[in-house]
Protein backbone atom coordinates (compact mmCIF):
# COMPACT_ATOMS: atom_id res chain seq x y z
CA UNK A 1 0.00 0.00 0.00
CA UNK A 2 2.94 2.34 0.67
CA UNK A 3 4.09 1.99 -2.93
CA UNK A 4 0.69 3.04 -4.22
CA UNK A 5 0.62 6.07 -1.96
CA UNK A 6 4.09 7.09 -3.07
CA UNK A 7 3.07 6.86 -6.73
CA UNK A 8 0.61 9.72 -6.34
CA UNK A 9 0.52 11.63 -3.04
CA UNK A 10 -2.72 13.32 -4.09
CA UNK A 11 -4.65 10.08 -4.55
CA UNK A 12 -7.59 9.77 -2.16
CA UNK A 13 -8.15 6.71 0.00
CA UNK A 14 -10.95 5.31 -2.14
CA UNK A 15 -8.64 5.19 -5.16
CA UNK A 16 -5.89 3.54 -3.11
CA UNK A 17 -8.28 0.88 -1.83
CA UNK A 18 -9.49 0.24 -5.37
CA UNK A 19 -5.98 -0.19 -6.73
CA UNK A 20 -5.04 -2.58 -3.92
CA UNK A 21 -8.27 -4.55 -4.37
CA UNK A 22 -7.69 -5.07 -8.09
CA UNK A 23 -4.29 -6.66 -7.36
CA UNK A 24 -5.43 -8.99 -4.58
CA UNK A 25 -5.35 -12.75 -5.01
CA UNK A 26 -7.54 -14.58 -2.50
CA UNK A 27 -7.83 -18.30 -1.71
CA UNK A 28 -10.98 -20.03 -2.94
CA UNK A 29 -13.94 -19.40 -0.64
CA UNK A 30 -13.07 -15.80 0.21
CA UNK A 31 -14.16 -12.46 -1.20
CA UNK A 32 -12.83 -8.92 -0.86
CA UNK A 33 -15.22 -5.98 -0.97
CA UNK A 34 -15.05 -2.20 -0.63
CA UNK A 35 -18.54 -1.77 0.76
CA UNK A 36 -18.45 1.85 1.88
CA UNK A 37 -15.57 4.24 1.21
CA UNK A 38 -14.93 7.89 0.50
CA UNK A 39 -11.90 10.13 0.11
CA UNK A 40 -10.97 9.89 3.80
CA UNK A 41 -12.27 6.61 5.22
CA UNK A 42 -12.96 3.04 4.22
CA UNK A 43 -11.38 -0.38 4.07
CA UNK A 44 -11.16 -3.59 2.08
CA UNK A 45 -13.29 -6.22 3.82
CA UNK A 46 -12.30 -9.86 3.37
CA UNK A 47 -14.91 -12.45 4.32
CA UNK A 48 -15.64 -16.12 3.86
CA UNK A 49 -18.38 -16.97 1.38
CA UNK A 50 -20.38 -18.67 4.16
CA UNK A 51 -21.03 -22.04 5.81
CA UNK A 52 -23.04 -24.93 4.34
CA UNK A 53 -26.49 -23.70 5.43
CA UNK A 54 -25.74 -20.29 3.93
CA UNK A 55 -24.56 -21.81 0.66
CA UNK A 56 -27.61 -24.11 0.47
CA UNK A 57 -30.09 -21.23 0.67
CA UNK A 58 -28.07 -19.16 -1.81
CA UNK A 59 -27.88 -22.07 -4.28
CA UNK A 60 -31.63 -22.72 -4.02
CA UNK A 61 -32.32 -19.05 -4.69
CA UNK A 62 -29.97 -18.88 -7.67
CA UNK A 63 -31.29 -22.09 -9.26
CA UNK A 64 -34.96 -21.16 -8.86
CA UNK A 65 -34.45 -17.59 -10.03
CA UNK A 66 -32.41 -18.72 -13.03
CA UNK A 67 -35.25 -21.05 -14.07
CA UNK A 68 -37.71 -18.15 -13.72
CA UNK A 69 -35.54 -16.04 -16.04
CA UNK A 70 -34.82 -18.81 -18.58
CA UNK A 71 -36.97 -17.38 -21.39
CA UNK A 72 -35.53 -13.88 -21.25
CA UNK A 73 -32.24 -12.06 -21.76
CA UNK A 74 -31.35 -11.97 -18.05
CA UNK A 75 -29.62 -14.59 -15.92
CA UNK A 76 -28.47 -15.03 -12.33
CA UNK A 77 -24.74 -14.75 -11.65
CA UNK A 78 -22.58 -15.59 -8.69
CA UNK A 79 -18.98 -14.75 -7.89
CA UNK A 80 -18.97 -11.61 -10.01
CA UNK A 81 -18.18 -8.15 -8.67
CA UNK A 82 -20.46 -5.15 -8.91
CA UNK A 83 -18.56 -1.89 -9.28
CA UNK A 84 -19.74 1.64 -8.49
CA UNK A 85 -17.40 4.63 -8.14
CA UNK A 86 -14.43 2.63 -6.82
CA UNK A 87 -16.60 0.57 -4.48
CA UNK A 88 -16.96 -3.14 -5.14
CA UNK A 89 -19.36 -5.78 -3.84
CA UNK A 90 -19.72 -9.51 -4.47
CA UNK A 91 -23.35 -10.48 -3.73
CA UNK A 92 -24.62 -14.01 -3.20
CA UNK A 93 -26.75 -13.56 -6.32
CA UNK A 94 -27.05 -10.87 -8.96
CA UNK A 95 -29.29 -10.55 -11.99
CA UNK A 96 -27.68 -9.19 -15.13
CA UNK A 97 -27.98 -9.47 -18.89
CA UNK A 98 -26.78 -12.89 -20.00
CA UNK A 99 -24.71 -11.32 -22.79
CA UNK A 100 -22.15 -8.83 -21.47
CA UNK A 101 -22.72 -5.21 -22.33
CA UNK A 102 -20.15 -2.51 -22.75
CA UNK A 103 -20.43 -0.75 -19.41
CA UNK A 104 -16.92 0.62 -18.90
CA UNK A 105 -15.97 -1.78 -16.10
CA UNK A 106 -16.08 -5.16 -17.87
CA UNK A 107 -12.50 -5.95 -16.82
CA UNK A 108 -13.42 -5.79 -13.13
CA UNK A 109 -17.10 -6.72 -13.05
CA UNK A 110 -20.54 -5.30 -13.70
CA UNK A 111 -21.39 -1.64 -13.40
CA UNK A 112 -24.07 -1.13 -10.76
CA UNK A 113 -26.15 0.73 -13.35
CA UNK A 114 -26.52 -2.56 -15.27
CA UNK A 115 -27.86 -4.50 -12.26
CA UNK A 116 -31.63 -4.69 -11.62
CA UNK A 117 -31.44 -6.96 -8.56
CA UNK A 118 -28.98 -8.20 -5.94
CA UNK A 119 -29.54 -10.77 -3.20
CA UNK A 120 -27.70 -11.62 -0.01
CA UNK A 121 -28.10 -14.57 2.36
CA UNK A 122 -27.01 -13.43 5.82
CA UNK A 123 -24.21 -15.53 7.30
CA UNK A 124 -23.87 -16.13 11.06
CA UNK A 125 -21.83 -13.72 13.14
CA UNK A 126 -22.46 -10.16 14.26
CA UNK A 127 -20.22 -8.60 11.61
CA UNK A 128 -21.84 -10.61 8.79
CA UNK A 129 -25.32 -9.65 9.92
CA UNK A 130 -24.48 -5.96 10.30
CA UNK A 131 -22.80 -5.94 6.90
CA UNK A 132 -25.76 -7.35 4.98
CA UNK A 133 -28.60 -5.76 6.98
CA UNK A 134 -27.15 -2.26 7.31
CA UNK A 135 -24.06 -1.41 5.30
CA UNK A 136 -24.88 -3.29 2.10
CA UNK A 137 -28.42 -1.97 2.24
CA UNK A 138 -26.99 1.55 2.30
CA UNK A 139 -24.45 0.76 -0.42
CA UNK A 140 -26.91 -0.82 -2.84
CA UNK A 141 -29.43 1.97 -2.32
CA UNK A 142 -26.72 4.60 -2.82
CA UNK A 143 -25.80 2.90 -6.11
CA UNK A 144 -29.44 2.97 -7.23
CA UNK A 145 -29.88 -0.81 -7.57
CA UNK A 146 -33.68 -1.20 -7.91
CA UNK A 147 -34.26 -4.39 -5.86
CA UNK A 148 -32.35 -5.79 -2.89
CA UNK A 149 -33.41 -9.22 -1.58
CA UNK A 150 -32.23 -10.19 1.91
CA UNK A 151 -32.66 -13.75 3.18
CA UNK A 152 -31.95 -13.64 6.89
CA UNK A 153 -31.64 -16.92 8.78
CA UNK A 154 -31.06 -15.08 12.06
CA UNK A 155 -33.98 -12.64 12.38
CA UNK A 156 -37.56 -13.61 13.34
CA UNK A 157 -36.27 -17.20 13.29
CA UNK A 158 -35.85 -16.60 9.58
CA UNK A 159 -37.13 -13.77 7.37
CA UNK A 160 -37.06 -12.58 3.78
CA UNK A 161 -37.08 -8.87 2.94
CA UNK A 162 -37.48 -7.25 -0.46
CA UNK A 163 -36.26 -3.64 -0.59
CA UNK A 164 -37.37 -1.44 -3.50
CA UNK A 165 -37.43 2.22 -4.56
CA UNK A 166 -33.80 3.18 -3.89
CA UNK A 167 -33.10 6.71 -2.68
CA UNK A 168 -29.41 7.27 -3.49
CA UNK A 169 -29.21 10.63 -1.72
CA UNK A 170 -30.54 9.09 1.50
CA UNK A 171 -28.59 5.83 1.06
CA UNK A 172 -31.72 3.83 1.79
CA UNK A 173 -34.74 2.19 0.19
CA UNK A 174 -38.13 3.87 0.46
CA UNK A 175 -40.07 0.60 0.45
CA UNK A 176 -39.53 -2.74 2.15
CA UNK A 177 -41.63 -5.86 2.52
CA UNK A 178 -40.58 -8.43 5.14
CA UNK A 179 -42.11 -11.85 5.80
CA UNK A 180 -41.14 -14.79 8.04
CA UNK A 181 -39.97 -18.09 6.60
CA UNK A 182 -42.95 -20.07 5.35
CA UNK A 183 -44.74 -17.02 3.89
CA UNK A 184 -44.35 -16.42 0.16
CA UNK A 185 -42.94 -13.09 -0.98
CA UNK A 186 -42.94 -11.93 -4.60
CA UNK A 187 -40.46 -9.77 -6.50
CA UNK A 188 -42.60 -6.78 -7.57
CA UNK A 189 -40.61 -5.37 -10.49
CA UNK A 190 -37.79 -5.84 -12.97
CA UNK A 191 -36.70 -8.96 -14.88
CA UNK A 192 -37.58 -11.21 -11.91
CA UNK A 193 -41.07 -9.71 -11.47
CA UNK A 194 -43.45 -12.39 -10.20
CA UNK A 195 -40.70 -14.64 -8.84
CA UNK A 196 -41.78 -16.08 -5.49
CA UNK A 197 -39.45 -16.81 -2.59
CA UNK A 198 -40.99 -19.40 -0.30
CA UNK A 199 -40.38 -22.63 1.56
CA UNK A 200 -38.61 -24.27 -1.38
CA UNK A 201 -35.79 -21.76 -0.91
CA UNK A 202 -35.82 -20.87 2.79
CA UNK A 203 -37.16 -24.04 4.34
CA UNK A 204 -40.37 -24.32 6.41
CA UNK A 205 -41.59 -21.82 9.00
CA UNK A 206 -40.00 -22.08 12.41
CA UNK A 207 -41.90 -22.40 15.65
CA UNK A 208 -41.34 -20.46 18.85
CA UNK A 209 -39.67 -23.34 20.65
Amino acid sequence: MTELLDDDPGTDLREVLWRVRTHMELPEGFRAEIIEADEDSGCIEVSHTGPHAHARAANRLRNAMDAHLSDGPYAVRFGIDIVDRRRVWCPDAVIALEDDVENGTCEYGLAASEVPLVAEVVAPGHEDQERDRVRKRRAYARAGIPVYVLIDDHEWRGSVTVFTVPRPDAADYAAEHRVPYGTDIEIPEGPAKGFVIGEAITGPPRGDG
Side-chain angles (χ1 to χ4, degrees):
M1 184 176 292
T2 303
E3 255 184 43
L4 293 177
L5 285 168
D6 289 344
D7 284 347
D8 180 1
T11 301
D12 67 42
L13 178 60
R14 187 169 55 190
E15 177 67 20
V16 172
L17 293 173
W18 170 258
R19 291 162 68 181
V20 173
R21 167 62 177 75
T22 57
H23 288 83
M24 291 179 70
E25 294 185 12
L26 294 174
E28 186 176 352
F30 288 85
R31 58 187 171 189
E33 301 173 289
I34 305 172
I35 296 174
E36 293 184 301
D38 55 31
E39 291 83 355
D40 302 310
S41 64
C43 64
I44 298 172
E45 301 185 35
V46 178
S47 60
H48 199 278
T49 52
H52 175 69
H54 172 277
R56 182 174 57 201
N59 286 335
R60 287 174 177 171
L61 175 68
R62 289 191 292 262
N63 291 339
M65 196 173 277
D66 217 25
H68 180 82
L69 297 168
S70 61
D71 294 332
Y74 286 88
V76 178
R77 300 187 183 187
F78 167 64
I80 188 166
D81 291 335
I82 300 175
V83 179
D84 178 62
R85 291 169 291 183
R86 295 299 191 259
R87 302 178 186 95
V88 57
W89 317 293
C90 187
D92 289 316
V94 54
I95 289 180
L97 286 168
E98 193 161 16
D99 295 328
D100 285 335
V101 295
E102 288 296 328
N103 55 38
T105 58
C106 291
E107 183 180 355
Y108 300 110
L110 292 168
S113 59
E114 304 293 337
V115 174
L117 180 149
V118 292
E120 300 283 2
V121 179
V122 180
H126 175 75
E127 288 298 322
D128 297 300
Q129 294 172 34
E130 194 272 343
R131 180 178 64 240
D132 290 340
R133 291 174 186 164
V134 180
R135 291 188 292 111
K136 280 198 169 181
R137 172 179 173 170
R138 286 196 303 249
Y140 293 148
R142 190 180 287 116
I145 294 175
V147 180
Y148 176 30
V149 175
L150 185 67
I151 298 179
D152 194 335
D153 211 44
H154 314 283
E155 181 180 60
W156 285 10
R157 294 181 173 83
S159 69
V160 182
T161 307
V162 175
F163 298 98
T164 55
V165 193
R167 299 166 57 206
D169 291 345
D172 202 357
Y173 286 90
E176 65 178 271
H177 182 198
R178 179 180 292 113
V179 299
Y181 281 7
T183 301
D184 289 350
I185 186 169
E186 188 173 304
I187 304 299
E189 63 179 80
K193 182 177 180 178
F195 176 75
V196 174
I197 302 171
E199 286 190 39
I201 293 170
T202 66
R206 299 174 180 175
D208 295 330

